[in-house]
Amino acid sequence: MSEYSAPVRDMRFVLEHLAHLDDVASIDEWSHASVDDFAAVLEESGKFMAEVVAPTNAESDRIGAKWVDGEVVTPPFFADMWRKTCEAGWNSVGAPAEYGGGGMPTVALTPLSEMLAAANASFSMLPGLTTGAVEMLDAWADDEQKNTYLPKMISGEWSGTMNLTEPEAGSDVGALRTAAVKQDDGSYLISGTKIYISFGEHDLTENIIHLVLARTPDAPPGTKGISCFIVPKFLVNEDGSLGERNDVTCVSIEHKLGITSSPTCVLSFGENGGAVGYLIGEENRGMKYMFTMMNNARLAVGIAGVGIADRAYQHAVQWAQDRVQGRPIGAAADVNVPIIEHADVRRMLLTMRSQVEASRALSYLNGAAIDLGRRHPDEAERERWQHLAELLTPVTKAWSTDVGVEVCSTAIQVFGGMGFIEETGIAQNWRDERIQPIYEGTNGIQALDLIGRKLPLGGGAPINALLTQVKELADEVEALGDGWALSAANLRDATAAWEKATWWIFEHGVQDPVDAAAGATPYLKLFGTVFGGYLLARSAVVAAKLLAGDGYDDPRFLEDKQTTARFYCEQLLPQAGGLVGAVTAGKQSLFGIPADRF
Ligand SMILES: Cc1cc2nc3c(=O)[nH]c(=O)nc-3n(C[C@H](O)[C@H](O)[C@H](O)COP(=O)(O)OP(=O)(O)OC[C@H]3O[C@@H](n4cnc5c(N)ncnc54)[C@H](O)[C@@H]3O)c2cc1C
């Protein structure tokens, strides 16, 4: 069974036709690279992931990360794989060019993150977190800090971590207690315990740069009193060489359901007087700074959801093509066929395929919106894209990962009994995928963010614009001709459902926020389901135009794209209507049973 093959053709199609790669590539900063250049990078990266990283996936799951006397040992082949990844530049393609990175836009980075997560989800955490830390330092650190840390983090000699979570501060980050006390020399002494810190300790880089949220003695309570510090594992001398070991230790690592070789660490700061930390920016503004890293991580987690799901889909297809079982309805008794010939197996495969393609399109569009929101030369356009990026981020994070878990579970179903047997490897995808809806703000928290902060953006203009865009596409879908009437009708119905649910949230969010919060998760699902359908329907319209011309080299890809879109519109879009009831039911039945009677 082939381990993983990067879906480069679909990635390129999405970048070019749905995710505005042309618009991004026309911006000064990125105008040196053409769409073909980006496509060449995709090909090269796909080859690297398939040949170097993907074959290690099962073995790294079996071996896992080990804690030995405060040190963490990763699988033996990780060091070589990390070296090759850094030498090829795949850890730093999006990092700022002035410090040695590739300087590529976020949208071009999204497929690379997808490939890396698909190839080895555990391993992908190291470059993923380091990329986020680099972006955060580049945005908020001073020049001296940038010069000290960025070049080595970008080269892969040092890695980065994100230290938010504490035993009493999970979703409620504002409850954190780690303390930071200012010293005469301007540095701070940090003390406290952080839990679940991914790659908080490991043997792959010579230094680890922890970005730590902590509270100064007189800080106001909650998120308004949080500051952000750079706490290196080894202090850095003025000449850039490594100095003393800092006062931060890895007390233990977790034994987990999945991503077993990504060490999830309990870190203790200041057991011997205090770990030396350096303030980023100003005191009490740490949450704002950390949001740069968290938004990056939310998009990255959504994309990892797509990548792992795609790997599971690819394996399910191979299994369904090979496994011979049963005969087609009405065939002679001695005719046995591969299970892919059965209608129900096709339903499973097309459900997975269309969900992967829809969530891929959503994530890449989100990446482009981030780029255009930061760099578009026109201020009004910049604001429009920025709002879209903010609106889509919780949906990309939560919908792509919820759908990803569903896809991985369906893949197990396609394998039948062998899906439940670890030896086939299909269950690992589900185990690795299952963390994605939990970390980086649980999907429940994303749904609250969507209805509470993102829908009201710009007085509701961004969500209104999306609703209008989706409504308008239905006519174009209908114009595709024979066989598309049902898809167009379903798109209209689904958009009406989305609109109704949206206005209900707006109205009730003001009257009774708990009523609106009660419908937040079904609302996010409805949003993702309809907008995912819109993106696939748009693919079908684009495919029709390309098929009508004669320049496309693989018409079968376009025909299959259309069939996948049509399946989604006919069979999955109608679920949207069924979600309105859950969105608009309010809190009543949820709070009907007192907590102690559950
Ligand atoms: C493998 C792994 C790796 C991780 N890596 C990192 C890392 O590198 N750095 C880091 O800082 N953290 C990391 N985390 C922590 C992760 O981000 C948290 O686990 C996550 O944010 C949830 O916090 P919690 O576990 O305390 O759950 P809780 O906050 O206790 O939530 C439990 C449940 O209650 C719900 N809930 C909580 N509050 C509310 C609310 N106000 N309204 C509605 N529902 C609510 C949640 O949605 C969830 O379903 C990692 C965790 C794991 C498991």
Side-chain angles (χ1 to χ4, degrees):
M1 191 174 277
S2 135
E3 281 295 339
Y4 169 68
S5 161
V8 172
R9 186 172 282 279
D10 194 50
M11 290 170 158
R12 181 171 178 165
F13 179 91
V14 172
L15 287 174
E16 278 186 70
H17 301 294
L18 302 171
H20 303 265
L21 186 62
D22 274 344
D23 293 338
V24 175
S26 71
I27 287 180
D28 275 357
E29 192 174 338
W30 298 302
S31 58
H32 56 281
S34 67
V35 169
D36 285 336
D37 290 336
F38 288 126
V41 171
L42 280 188
E43 291 284 353
E44 215 184 307
S45 167
K47 212 160 157 264
F48 179 86
M49 298 306 162
E51 288 172 5
V52 179
V53 185
T56 66
N57 195 43
E59 189 67 355
S60 79
D61 178 54
R62 266 193 296 277
I63 298 173
K66 307 259 182 328
W67 183 89
V68 187
D69 294 334
E71 308 290 328
V72 170
V73 181
T74 56
F77 43 84
F78 263 33
D80 185 50
M81 194 155 74
W82 177 241
R83 185 182 53 76
K84 287 182 176 149
T85 303
C86 297
E87 278 171 8
W90 300 128
N91 63 317
S92 60
V93 275
E98 59 179 308
Y99 296 102
M104 289 212 336
T106 305
V107 67
L109 215 63
T110 47
L112 307 188
S113 307
E114 181 191 324
M115 291 178 195
L116 195 53
N120 188 325
S122 287
F123 177 73
S124 74
M125 301 281 286
L126 180 63
L129 282 154
T130 305
T131 299
V134 164
E135 194 182 337
M136 195 272 216
L137 290 171
D138 185 45
W140 301 109
D142 63 31
D143 284 345
E144 195 187 330
Q145 290 170 332
K146 287 188 203 179
N147 287 325
T148 305
Y149 298 103
L150 288 185
K152 298 229 170 189
M153 292 172 79
I154 289 169
S155 70
E157 289 160 90
W158 300 353
S159 64
T161 70
M162 175 181 185
N163 283 250
L164 279 67
T165 310
E166 298 180 9
E168 306 305 325
S171 299
D172 183 9
V173 181
L176 66 83
R177 295 180 189 160
T178 293
V181 179
K182 194 166 185 180
Q183 304 300 293
D184 292 342
D185 65 357
S187 70
Y188 289 71
L189 286 183
I190 313 287
S191 53
T193 301
K194 294 284 178 183
I195 60 171
Y196 297 139
I197 305 308
S198 301
F199 278 93
E201 177 58 44
H202 61 85
D203 53 0
L204 301 174
T205 60
E206 59 185 33
N207 204 1
I208 302 173
I209 310 306
H210 303 291
L211 299 184
V212 181
L213 292 186
R215 201 177 278 292
T216 51
D218 303 321
T223 49
K224 291 197 168 70
I226 292 176
S227 305
C228 188
F229 300 89
I230 300 169
V231 184
K233 172 178 167 184
F234 287 98
L235 297 174
V236 182
N237 297 322
E238 275 190 13
D239 64 358
S241 61
L242 293 187
E244 273 175 54
R245 173 95 196 220
N246 208 350
D247 188 7
V248 47
T249 48
C250 175
V251 181
S252 62
I253 63 172
E254 308 295 347
H255 299 279
K256 308 194 296 292
L257 178 69
I259 55 164
T260 57
S261 50
S262 164
T264 305
C265 306
V266 177
L267 293 184
S268 179
F269 293 84
E271 283 186 8
N272 297 301
V276 177
Y278 308 101
L279 181 71
I280 297 173
E282 295 167 30
E283 283 186 12
N284 299 332
R285 303 196 65 201
M287 220 38 223
K288 177 180 162 75
Y289 307 150
M290 193 49 99
F291 256 105
T292 304
M293 188 165 182
M294 283 157 69
N295 279 330
N296 170 308
R298 285 174 181 180
L299 177 61
V301 170
I303 289 163
V306 179
I308 301 166
D310 187 40
R311 184 182 182 127
Y313 164 69
Q314 292 186 19
H315 285 201
V317 169
Q318 291 174 53
W319 184 270
Q321 286 167 337
D322 291 346
R323 167 75 174 155
V324 175
Q325 195 67 193
R327 59 197 171 97
I329 293 169
D334 59 347
V335 178
N336 289 313
V337 290
I339 58 172
I340 197 165
E341 296 304 337
H342 302 308
D344 193 54
V345 175
R346 285 185 168 244
R347 177 193 59 76
M348 290 192 275
L349 293 176
L350 270 160
T351 301
M352 289 189 267
R353 179 189 178 107
S354 61
Q355 286 175 325
V356 166
E357 290 186 14
S359 53
R360 173 177 298 129
L362 167 66
S363 316
Y364 292 13
L365 174 62
N366 198 156
I370 291 173
D371 292 325
L372 295 166
R374 281 187 192 147
R375 298 276 188 265
H376 199 288
D378 181 79
E379 196 182 334
E381 278 296 288
R382 216 167 37 243
E383 186 184 77
R384 186 174 73 79
W385 283 107
Q386 197 183 336
H387 280 163
L388 181 65
E390 289 182 46
L391 183 62
L392 294 185
T393 297
V395 186
T396 299
K397 195 278 172 181
W399 190 69
S400 300
T401 59
D402 280 342
V403 154
V405 171
E406 217 179 300
V407 168
C408 292
S409 176
T410 308
I412 293 174
Q413 196 70 17
V414 171
F415 272 66
M418 285 309 283
F420 204 66
I421 307 301
E422 284 289 355
E423 187 190 315
T424 58
I426 196 70
Q428 186 195 340
N429 298 304
W430 184 85
R431 292 190 289 98
D432 287 349
E433 182 81 270
R434 193 59 193 83
I435 182 60
Q436 314 297 332
I438 296 173
Y439 56 26
E440 259 334 298
T442 62
N443 285 1
I445 297 294
Q446 302 303 322
L448 291 175
D449 180 47
L450 175 65
I451 63 153
R453 291 197 204 96
K454 305 301 170 61
L455 287 186
L457 276 173
I463 179 68
N464 239 328
L466 275 198
L467 285 164
T468 308
Q469 209 175 312
V470 178
K471 254 189 250 171
E472 286 172 359
L473 186 69
D475 289 346
E476 286 186 68
V477 172
E478 193 150 30
L480 288 175
D482 275 358
W484 286 95
L486 179 59
S487 295
N490 286 351
L491 195 57
R492 286 193 188 99
D493 289 349
T495 316
W498 185 15
E499 197 165 27
K500 183 174 173 191
T502 303
W503 298 134
W504 190 93
I505 293 277
F506 269 125
E507 226 173 275
H508 287 73
V510 177
Q511 285 168 11
D512 184 347
V514 184
D515 256 345
T521 289
Y523 178 78
L524 187 146
K525 186 172 180 185
L526 202 165
F527 188 137
T529 304
V530 185
F531 195 60
Y534 158 81
L535 289 166
L536 286 187
R538 175 149 293 297
S539 311
V541 171
V542 170
K545 285 189 187 132
L546 292 171
L547 280 166
D550 56 4
Y552 203 81
D553 64 337
D554 187 357
R556 282 188 313 180
F557 165 80
L558 298 173
E559 287 159 13
D560 294 349
K561 192 88 196 153
Q562 288 196 313
T563 307
T564 307
R566 191 171 144 188
F567 168 84
Y568 187 102
C569 291
E570 289 183 357
Q571 298 214 20
L572 303 187
L573 254 189
Q575 293 173 2
L579 289 164
V580 178
V583 177
T584 59
K587 66 185 177 193
Q588 209 79 35
S589 59
L590 296 182
F591 288 92
I593 305 175
D596 62 356
R597 287 223 307 270
F598 268 83

